[in-house]
Amino acid sequence: MDMQTRQQDQLIFHLTGKRQGDGLAAIDGLDLRPALLAPYRDLNGLRHDFPVVLDERDGAPEFVHSLSSLVDAMLKEVAPRGIDGERLRRHALQLEREIRQAVDAGAAGSLVELWHQAAARLGAREGETLEQVLGHAGGALPADGAVLGCSRDMPARLITHAWHAARRAKARRFQAELSRLVLKLSDILRAAYSHSRAGRQPQSLKQSVGGPHQDAFDFDALSRIVGKGVPRDELPALRRKRLEHALAELESQRFFASAYDTTAAGRECFGFEFDNCAAAARTFRERLPELAALVKAISIAELEVDGRYIEAEHDLLFDAFDENSLNADDLARFPDYLVCIPPERNDAPENANLMEMLSSGLPVKVLVQTSDLLEEASIGTGRFAFGVRSARLATTAMGLGGMFVLQSTSANLFALRAQLSRGLACRGPALFSVFAGSAQPASQLPPYLTAAAAMQSRAFPAFSYDAAAGANWAARFSLENNPQPDDDWSVETLDYCDAALQRASERCAFTFADFVLCDKRYAAHFALVPRERWNAAMVPVADWLALDERESAQRVPFLLVVDANDALQRVIVDARLMQATRRCLLLWQRLQEHGGVHDSHAERLLAREKASWAAERQAQAPAPAATLPTAAAVAAPDQAEPAAPTHSRDETWIDTARCPSCNECQLINDRMFGYDERKQAFIKDLAAGTYRQLVEAAESCQVAIIHPGAPRNPNEPGLEELLIRAEPFR
Ligand code: SF4
């Protein structure tokens, strides 16, 4: 087989996804993984953020720690510096690995429990003394609590734990204020009673005097003396009623666990944890009257305690006070509602109102876990939940404004713990959109690595948006800790041993296609190319994406992968997956713009400034000899607009009036597509793009209003396939 035929096989696979001949092999069952992931086969042998330990101490400065950081802190405390402490350090790290393996295998418990179990296992292998030494060292661990691996339930448990910590802090503030008001109101009532006729009765006087002195007084005589001319009740009836009612409301509130014995009256504290949006929203509304009554009681109590209650003014105000009078400051004093939606319930009817709930400003913190990124990656497919693809949920919520939004993979949650705390402590709604690696159904990687790969490949980048952080995007939006956030892809050096057993290295990008390779369901999008058939027409995926249309049509994109024996291989990628990879890159670039990276407005401004500077320079230069304009340069006089033709199959057009401005087409080519003054899409410049981009835009358009018509360039590569794809839209 000559070189040209070999390349033809590869090109055909790339364009059609079909393998022909024996020059390409299927990858099913080969246990391939991206070459950059080769060093992570034994994840438990590497110290990383997981497992984590939930700190159970009330008021602890951090709500979560990594196991590694606790072991380091313990060693700093108990291991002698230098060579003397080396043995203990080595055994402690061995024990840490033992715990990591146990948690990975499903072990659960507190750190102290798992520590002692691991010490016992090591002791059984290496001697009882070691168990005793490690058991003793465990006493110096600076924190204890449940140990969590990067498992399916970890995001919900971590966020619930952090939410409890935020709630406890709020409860402390509320209780302190409530106790003060209750005490002051009681004092006012008690003082009024002791000055009243009832308070001057012999029995009341006797109770007010300490026990040892009671026999020294004649309380009947005393009552006759001090009770003369005393009013029946010092407090006017209306005021007494108001004070007693406010006090009763404060003492019987059910929003925070109370210092007062309300359970005795059958009134238990409210719960605020839910697993669906509908129940949370309904419960919030049902409790509003009770919440309004409590806020009213607090307001009355504050005025009474300060002696500022003016009946003529405040009676009217409080008579009309109800749930419609509550404002954001009032709500911020009470617990937020926590909704952790189970991943399999994202598209359930009870969660359909998520966006509505968030945009209405309910004090709710919602965790949504995206269960399958790849199912949703292909255009026109994927399940919709919450009215959008769940992987796009965070960007959609960010567009609504007025809330806190955090998107992250589960592997990155520990690194973003400060942002988690900030989101849970914010006054308004917050959305935490998390991709849990364990939920990707056919991933060949462990959950932690799947989640980390999703972030590394830009399939699920991390970002946060805090509406309260400032007045502009720079203050509100952060791309957080994505690797190499200024670049299209994260690029690392791959060191390997070549066929001649010489050390070699090359720069290697980790792309969306690398992430897809890890999922068995998508094996058909790749074909293995034997080493003897590697050729110059094969280019790495990231480089292929940077080629212009004409160039890329002559090349085939490939990924560097390793097989089960860590031997380096190349797989080529079909056009369908490359389309999804390009789309992933476009979405990442949109996020970059939010983060101020390659800001198109700034770049346009810069270009304008440069042009005006150049024009100024030209104006200052000596004038050239006058020339007559050419015929072509003379502007044609205005002509009457031709009548709009009816749309034929071959015409390229957009049904602009139906465009809901989703922006997908401009993500593909913003020179070809633009918005009119009503922010609806139209074809700005057909010549600014290719037929392929037209077809991709038609496929991306959520309302199918882009009609690609016939190709303008009969020589555009891949036309045959493109015409088939364009057919439903013509
Ligand atoms: S993709 Fe469709 S709906 Fe979205 S902006 Fe373009 S034309 Fe409008």
Side-chain angles (χ1 to χ4, degrees), residues 654 659-666 675 681 697 700-703 705-706:
I654 293 183
C659 168
S661 319
C662 76
N663 213 33
E664 293 285 344
C665 53
Q666 290 182 62
Y675 279 142
S700 304
C701 179
Q702 298 191 353
V703 283
I705 55 172
I706 298 178

Side-chain angles (χ1 to χ4, degrees), residues 646-668:
T646 50
H647 302 294
S648 75
R649 268 175 57 73
D650 292 346
E651 189 184 349
T652 306
W653 63 287
I654 293 183
D655 193 352
T656 298
R658 291 177 51 214
C659 168
S661 319
C662 76
N663 213 33
E664 293 285 344
C665 53
Q666 290 182 62
L667 275 175
I668 289 170

Side-chain angles (χ1 to χ4, degrees), residues 40 54 99 115 235 262 322 329 358 383 428 444 666 669:
Y40 305 105
L54 305 182
I99 294 178
W115 182 276
L235 291 174
T262 54
D322 62 12
D329 287 340
L358 291 171
R383 283 181 304 148
Q444 307 188 88
Q666 290 182 62
N669 186 338

